Amino acid sequence: MKQLVRALGAAAALALAAGAALAQAYPSQPLKWIVPYVAGGGTDNLARNLAEAMQADFGQPIIIDNRPGASTNIGVAAMMAAKPDGYTIMQAENAALLFNEHMFGKLPYNPASDFTYIGTIGRFPVALVVHPDFPAKTLAEFTAYAKANGDKLSYASPGNGSPHHMAMELFKQQAGLNITHVPYKGAAPAMTDVMGGQVPIMMLDLASGLPIIKSGKVRALAIALPQRASALPELPTFAELGLKGVNAYAFHGLIGPKGMPKEAVARLNAGLHKAMQSPKVVRLFADFGFEPMPGTPEDFYRTARAESERWGKVIAAAGVKLD
């Protein structure tokens, strides 16, 4: 009996030692960070700066792999095809986390069960903006004008199913408006036409739009957050102006394939939080109007699932389908 106890004790000690060695060894090779958008955009810029800070901490290269297309589903497919060993991760946002399961009739993954949730990065606030010559100068004036002229008005977005599109649909539902959606292929051409007055209305993320808001090339009327954005403290929220339900943003976090080792998830979460505090990333957040939301993997999962449920109702009411 004593020999059995000693044997079991030795086995337990070996298991603990193996677990400690795994935790110390990770990461022992380069990591791949999938970005489901083209290089050069706000998400890509954010990913590259975070990866640079994390690889200095990890002592391993982190390689950005841009996989754009199909409402981020191409990137998700590449991530899910990888081994769940902690060496392939993906920067996910509203599409993969919140929207696609409600917009696609046949989605080859379930975000509630097919991802490893690593950690929340934060959110890009969105603001309602208009061309400077637009007749309304306040949200109340905009709402009144849109109700009187809705059949003549249209708004721009970077594309069907984008956070900007859904933020505007949420506002329309809350305010009882009927404004036609004009989807573009990206934020840049949409902003160009808003600044030119061809399509004078847009829900604009601060990562892309903060410089043109501050320069006066567009007029911001309200921000879709529960509290004012630190990047534009003078801009009131929709809630302050009487529409408490207009809460929308581009939500970002790190995910990986289902079944990643807990040690790898914990190390990635800690490394992400450390990177978010680096001076270069803090400056980038401020320049982008990006609001960090550090938290545990469990926090990330709970927030994502609650937001998915909320947006599912908005998407159903708007009738948005992408297949």
Side-chain angles (χ1 to χ4, degrees):
M1 186 66 177
K2 289 182 179 179
Q3 289 179 336
L4 177 60
V5 171
R6 283 197 295 270
L8 290 172
L14 285 171
L16 287 172
L22 176 62
Q24 291 172 355
Y26 179 86
S28 60
Q29 64 188 59
L31 288 81
K32 180 188 293 184
W33 182 313
I34 295 173
V35 175
Y37 293 101
V38 296
T43 298
D44 179 73
N45 195 355
L46 180 65
R48 290 177 187 275
N49 280 273
L50 284 169
E52 180 182 357
M54 287 175 68
Q55 70 183 8
D57 176 34
F58 283 11
Q60 293 289 343
I62 300 180
I63 302 161
I64 299 297
D65 183 10
N66 295 93
R67 298 289 188 99
S71 190
T72 77
N73 286 335
I74 291 175
V76 172
M79 182 269 294
M80 291 180 64
K83 291 181 180 179
D85 55 7
Y87 290 96
T88 299
I89 57 179
M90 174 178 149
Q91 185 158 334
E93 46 84 74
N94 296 49
L97 297 172
L98 316 179
F99 293 169
N100 285 353
E101 62 182 306
H102 306 291
M103 293 181 177
F104 288 87
K106 294 181 179 179
L107 196 65
Y109 61 86
N110 182 348
S113 58
D114 291 340
F115 302 157
T116 293
Y117 285 73
I118 297 167
T120 311
I121 301 171
R123 60 191 184 187
F124 285 120
V126 295
L128 175 65
V129 303
V130 296
H131 185 269
D133 293 337
F134 193 81
K137 292 182 170 55
T138 66
L139 183 64
E141 290 178 357
F142 178 94
T143 302
Y145 186 84
K147 286 183 177 180
N149 300 275
D151 58 337
K152 303 173 185 175
L153 295 179
S154 57
Y155 74 93
S157 88
N160 283 314
S162 64
H164 317 67
H165 174 199
M166 298 319 306
M168 192 67 185
E169 290 301 316
L170 174 61
F171 169 46
K172 285 168 57 180
Q173 290 173 22
Q174 294 285 325
L177 304 180
N178 181 25
I179 306 172
T180 302
H181 178 215
V182 180
Y184 286 74
K185 292 183 178 180
M191 287 192 298
T192 297
D193 275 8
V194 173
M195 288 187 287
Q198 288 90 342
V199 182
I201 304 163
M202 185 177 180
M203 280 285 190
L204 181 60
D205 68 275
L206 298 195
S208 302
L210 194 58
I212 66 171
I213 291 173
K214 289 188 171 182
S215 69
K217 293 178 181 177
V218 295
R219 182 191 306 128
L221 302 182
I223 192 138
L225 286 176
Q227 69 287 321
R228 296 193 182 199
S230 56
L232 282 176
E234 71 282 3
L235 184 63
T237 67
F238 281 92
E240 288 179 79
L241 301 174
L243 287 174
K244 295 183 179 180
V246 183
N247 185 13
Y249 41 81
F251 176 60
H252 287 252
L254 276 187
I255 62 173
K258 180 181 179 179
M260 282 174 52
K262 291 182 179 179
E263 296 84 357
V265 174
R267 183 70 179 93
L268 284 163
N269 183 274
L272 175 63
H273 290 170
K274 185 175 180 180
M276 289 164 63
Q277 296 170 16
S278 70
K280 185 176 180 180
V281 172
V282 169
R283 286 194 301 272
L284 180 73
F285 284 176
D287 291 343
F288 275 7
F290 188 82
E291 300 196 340
M293 297 171 63
T296 67
E298 294 75 19
D299 293 334
F300 181 20
Y301 181 85
R302 283 192 295 268
T303 300
R305 297 320 301 157
E307 283 292 279
S308 176
E309 182 178 358
R310 180 171 76 94
W311 283 105
K313 296 173 183 176
V314 176
I315 291 164
V320 178
K321 293 293 181 183
L322 297 183
D323 60 357

